[in-house]
Amino acid sequence: MDDNLNFVQFGEGHDVVFLHGWGGSIASFQGIAEYLKGGFRVTLLDFYGFGGTPESKRPLTLSDYAECVVSLMNKLGIPSAHFVCHSFGGRVGIRLAFSYPHLVDKLVLIDSAGIKPRRGIRYYCKIIIHKVLKRFGRGLSGSSDYRALSPVMKQTFKNIVNCDQSREAAKVRSETAIFWGKNDEITKSYMARKLKRKIKKSALFYLEGGHFAYLTDTKFPLILKAFLEAKWLSY
């Protein structure tokens, strides 16, 4: 399944694979990868439907995205790797650590998706309104980003967005560093705390900023490199 997967690889040392968020691409982690390349071999990829990789002909599931990473690793001769994952990429990273634990050395989750969000009364009112309108051939259309997706990517999004990975996270045995923007309004801070409780060998670090704080908080690359280079976490 990796035949059309766009990727770049450079550097020397232990393998690090970067998994970008929904709507992201290789560029999402380019700067961080450049920072690490002196001591690691880094691999960045574009998931199906993003960056330079065409979308699939059929809607994909979370398992499909995980399997495409495994296929690429086999193709490149990567026996195992550290994984650095942002948002949607965190979903894939958790699935890999759960389904293919032998492939995941250390896991880095940055403002990761995968924890079921808390829903307030406004959300459930919106669902009811949508169902009523749908009976009359209408319905709520969703965000502008969602409306811009192709039919295949819309169904792919639906396949993935409501997947609760709490049980998978509880089975992760890799050393895990969890980074979270203090002001993240997309993946809320309670999700970070839940991941910390679920993943036994984990530590939580807060960054200054929101969902993309890893790009602007200067301490992130320093802590990331220290984590990848040595076993120093205390649990």
Side-chain angles (χ1 to χ4, degrees), residues 32-205:
I32 302 297
E34 291 284 349
Y35 176 74
L36 294 178
K37 70 179 181 181
F40 299 92
R41 182 171 68 165
V42 299
T43 303
L44 304 95
L45 58 91
D46 287 331
F47 283 124
Y48 283 98
F50 304 102
T53 300
E55 66 181 51
S56 171
K57 294 179 181 178
R58 62 173 177 83
L60 300 180
T61 65
L62 185 56
S63 290
D64 289 326
Y65 278 107
E67 288 165 11
C68 82
V69 176
V70 175
S71 182
L72 181 63
M73 291 176 71
N74 290 335
K75 177 180 178 178
L76 298 177
I78 301 175
S80 65
H82 302 319
F83 283 84
V84 180
C85 320
H86 178 242
S87 198
F88 162 68
R91 283 191 181 276
V92 181
I94 293 169
R95 177 59 58 86
L96 287 167
F98 172 73
S99 299
Y100 305 93
H102 60 289
L103 298 181
V104 181
D105 297 327
K106 294 183 181 181
L107 180 63
V108 177
L109 300 175
I110 309 165
D111 296 275
S112 178
I115 298 299
K116 185 177 180 179
R118 298 171 182 168
R119 303 296 193 186
I121 191 167
R122 290 180 63 186
Y123 171 82
Y124 291 105
C125 287
K126 200 171 180 180
I127 294 296
I128 293 170
I129 292 169
H130 174 72
K131 288 181 178 179
V132 170
L133 290 175
K134 202 168 183 181
R135 289 192 175 190
F136 294 93
R138 300 177 63 187
L140 301 178
S141 57
S143 69
S144 58
D145 288 342
Y146 177 78
R147 293 197 300 272
L149 296 175
S150 70
V152 166
M153 291 304 291
K154 281 181 180 177
Q155 186 57 52
T156 295
F157 181 80
K158 290 178 183 178
N159 290 344
I160 291 167
V161 70
N162 291 318
C163 179
D164 183 7
Q165 295 178 267
S166 298
R167 292 183 179 181
E168 293 178 35
K171 299 291 185 181
V172 171
R173 294 295 175 260
S174 303
E175 281 193 316
T176 303
I178 303 168
F179 292 89
W180 225 266
K182 291 180 180 178
N183 303 317
D184 191 344
E185 292 298 322
I186 297 175
T187 49
K188 305 282 189 174
S189 60
Y190 68 80
M191 297 179 177
R193 295 192 295 271
K194 187 169 184 177
L195 283 172
K196 174 68 180 69
R197 292 195 303 271
K198 291 289 184 179
I199 301 175
K200 184 177 180 180
K201 298 179 180 179
S202 66
L204 173 59
F205 305 92

